[in-house]
Amino acid sequence: MPRLIRSRTAGFTLVELLVTLALLGVVGAIAARMVMGQQRFFHQTNETMSLRRELRTAMSMVPADLRGISSVGGDIASFDATQITFRATLGAAVICGKPNTTTIDLPPLNMARTTLTNWYAQPDVGDTVYAFRADSMGAGGDSWTAHRITSVAADATLCPGSPFTDNTLDAGKTRWRVTVTPAFADSVKVGAAVRFGRSARLSMAAGSSGSFYLARAEYVAGAWTAAVPIAGPFLAPSASGSGGVRLQMFDSLGAAVSSGGNLRSISRIDLILRGQGANSSGAVAGKTTPKDSIAFRIALRNRQ
């Protein structure tokens, strides 16, 4: 009788399959944890970089806006720990014509040979014109006087034959006629410099997502414009100054100036901004929201 040889079919036992699945589960959990950790690190790093970029934006814009104001000249209207209302500089020009004591004419913005009129927004009714007065032969008698604009008109025929424009290359270009009150002094002559100011406000404004942004608004033609965010998001504002923004004013001796004090004595503005990440990464980033802050001091001009 031939010997019957029992052959064994190749495969895995149930115990081996269970052990393999358990090991694959452990390895998969470790890999998923590493991937989640990398994603969390990436999102938090991205938010931190975005936050610091917004703080740098505020640091570059706010001092440039505030450094040009003159507290002695009454440019600061009001302030508290979270906002400041001030007169911002719009631009400057040189008078090319003076038809009467309440009217001045200005050269075109796009002159061919040089630039004598420049502003980031066209002056409007209610804005301020500062005119340079040469009341004496010495620098001690020179001064600036403030005048409120009552009308602004554009006309290509103004300043005919003016030495400040080219009769050929600047022909047909728009000039500007500005009427003010009170009247200009006789010492404000053709060729004198003028600069333009407009009331502006820096404050914290809530965005559509509920976050707070440092925003800027202007007072144009008798009404405040909508606040335009310039940097953020920041922490919610607090009247005590512990929130996203804190403003402090000091005189030339370093003494603090209160919001109800002598605003013309302000010599320095200290500003602290406290930002937080937008946390746009959702659950991946967990409950950690990046936060950072920046502080800077702004010395004002025309101190006495």
Side-chain angles (χ1 to χ4, degrees):
M1 297 293 293
R3 178 179 295 181
L4 298 177
I5 299 176
R6 181 180 297 176
S7 62
R8 182 178 180 183
T9 303
F12 297 100
T13 65
L14 179 61
V15 174
E16 291 174 333
L17 289 174
L18 292 175
V19 171
T20 301
L21 290 175
L23 291 176
L24 289 175
V26 172
V27 173
I30 294 175
R33 187 179 183 88
M34 292 179 62
V35 172
M36 294 288 287
Q38 290 295 326
Q39 289 182 344
R40 183 180 297 112
F41 175 78
F42 169 77
H43 286 293
Q44 290 181 348
T45 301
N46 186 52
E47 288 187 351
T48 300
M49 293 175 61
S50 298
L51 170 60
R52 291 177 178 176
R53 182 181 64 246
E54 295 299 319
L55 289 172
R56 289 195 299 269
T57 299
M59 184 178 65
S60 64
M61 296 185 66
V62 174
D65 217 4
L66 296 181
R67 191 173 289 119
I69 65 179
S70 171
S71 58
V72 174
D75 287 347
I76 300 178
S78 65
F79 79 93
D80 56 33
T82 63
Q83 66 86 28
I84 178 172
T85 301
F86 60 99
R87 189 181 293 113
T89 299
L90 281 177
V94 171
I95 300 174
C96 66
K98 187 182 178 185
N100 53 62
T101 59
T102 60
T103 305
I104 55 174
D105 297 335
L106 308 176
L109 293 168
N110 55 340
M111 295 176 59
R113 298 186 181 278
T114 185
T115 299
L116 296 180
T117 302
N118 186 32
W119 52 57
Y120 72 82
Q122 179 183 321
D124 206 335
V125 175
D127 292 340
T128 303
V129 174
Y130 295 92
F132 181 75
R133 294 178 53 171
D135 292 321
S136 71
M137 296 300 294
D142 297 339
S143 62
W144 294 83
T145 54
H147 309 264
R148 185 174 63 86
I149 296 178
T150 57
S151 70
V152 179
D155 192 329
T157 64
L158 301 177
C159 299
S162 171
F164 302 103
T165 59
D166 189 294
N167 293 333
T168 301
L169 298 179
D170 294 328
K173 295 181 179 179
T174 301
R175 279 83 162 164
W176 306 91
R177 172 160 289 180
V178 179
T179 304
V180 303
T181 184
F184 294 108
D186 292 337
S187 55
V188 177
K189 303 181 181 298
V190 173
V194 293
R195 54 188 177 90
F196 303 92
R198 173 177 293 172
S199 294
R201 177 182 295 148
L202 287 173
S203 62
M204 299 295 285
S208 58
S209 62
S211 300
F212 287 87
Y213 295 82
L214 183 64
R216 190 180 188 277
E218 292 186 343
Y219 193 77
V220 182
W224 284 100
T225 62
V228 177
I230 59 177
F234 298 110
L235 297 175
S238 171
S240 64
S242 60
V245 61
R246 182 182 182 184
L247 276 162
Q248 290 182 296
M249 309 290 173
F250 299 90
D251 61 20
S252 59
L253 299 178
V257 179
S258 64
S259 57
N262 181 13
L263 303 184
R264 292 178 179 267
S265 68
I266 296 174
S267 178
R268 190 187 85 217
I269 299 177
D270 286 7
L271 177 61
I272 298 176
L273 293 173
R274 302 181 181 92
Q276 65 178 1
N279 202 18
S280 58
S281 52
V284 174
K287 297 181 179 180
T288 302
T289 301
K291 296 181 180 180
D292 205 343
S293 62
I294 190 171
F296 43 89
R297 292 179 172 179
I298 305 167
L300 303 186
R301 63 179 181 86
N302 290 352
R303 288 299 311 146
Q304 293 181 347

